[in-house]
Amino acid sequence: MCSESVFRSVFDTHFKLLRNFLVFRYRNVDAAEDVAQNAFVILWQNCAALEPEQARSFLFTTAIRLSLNGIKHDKVVERFRLQAKPSDSCAETPEFLLVESEVKQRLEWAIANLPEKQRVVFLMNRFENQSYAAIATLLGISVKAVEKRMHLALVELRKVIHNL
């Protein structure tokens, strides 16, 4: 099997059949040719251990394994590409980060300067995730009073945001 003439004969006999099988199975002509050629390289590397009669089954088995390994590799690469893809927040410009910082500071200032009753209701609802009913119970006021305080707080904060 390791003589060039025998190997050439095996190649001429099986290459086109193997390539067509791979094209039919995986629907990619270029990849099929690459895999078929790699299968022949592996056959050449193992020529001493094989007889010419075993070449066909060895080639097809090797080609299928190479194809499946290639598919598995492509999935890993795609998964890594998706994980490594920078998110929009990572690709922010320095100008955007500066504006964001200024907005955050002004918003914190506006929250701090809300009337105390409005600020307490706003913080309990938005930062502690309390419901209006829970806030009303904790503060000993009606749910309508909580709704009114929250509404007034949001109106004041919207004014600050619109003035940016």
Side-chain angles (χ1 to χ4, degrees):
M1 181 78 188
C2 290
S3 75
E4 192 173 325
S5 61
V6 173
F7 189 80
R8 171 55 76 186
S9 171
V10 169
F11 182 85
D12 291 341
T13 305
H14 298 298
F15 180 77
K16 189 173 181 180
L17 181 66
L18 180 62
R19 187 202 61 213
N20 290 343
F21 168 76
L22 293 168
V23 168
F24 175 75
R25 186 160 183 169
Y26 299 108
R27 310 267 190 251
N28 186 335
V29 176
D30 294 332
E33 287 207 4
D34 289 344
V35 170
Q37 289 174 3
N38 288 336
F40 276 97
V41 168
I42 294 171
L43 176 66
W44 179 256
Q45 292 169 345
N46 293 293
C47 67
L50 298 168
E51 296 296 323
E53 305 83 44
Q54 299 171 312
R56 180 176 177 179
S57 64
F58 181 85
L59 285 168
F60 278 79
T61 302
T62 302
I64 290 170
R65 287 183 181 152
L66 288 171
S67 297
L68 293 176
N69 287 343
I71 291 169
K72 187 189 302 184
H73 174 73
D74 291 345
K75 285 181 182 179
V76 170
V77 168
E78 181 64 19
R79 190 175 325 123
F80 179 76
R81 186 186 65 77
L82 291 174
Q83 289 173 352
K85 182 180 179 182
S87 65
D88 292 340
S89 63
C90 294
E92 295 166 345
T93 64
E95 295 84 18
F96 176 83
L97 294 173
L98 180 63
V99 169
E100 180 185 39
S101 174
E102 290 174 3
V103 168
K104 184 178 176 185
Q105 287 175 349
R106 290 186 86 182
L107 195 55
E108 288 172 354
W109 176 86
I111 292 170
N113 288 320
L114 284 172
E116 185 177 346
K117 291 178 181 181
Q118 293 175 17
R119 184 176 63 249
V120 168
V121 169
F122 178 81
L123 293 173
M124 290 176 80
N125 179 258
R126 297 300 165 117
F127 291 97
E128 296 176 13
N129 297 321
Q130 300 270 344
S131 68
Y132 286 179
I135 295 170
T137 303
L138 288 170
L139 297 179
I141 58 176
S142 69
V143 174
K144 282 289 184 189
V146 171
E147 290 174 358
K148 181 69 174 179
R149 290 178 184 179
M150 189 65 174
H151 170 75
L152 292 173
L154 291 173
V155 167
E156 287 300 313
L157 294 176
R158 283 187 191 113
K159 287 179 187 175
V160 170
I161 290 172
H162 288 296
N163 290 334
L164 292 178

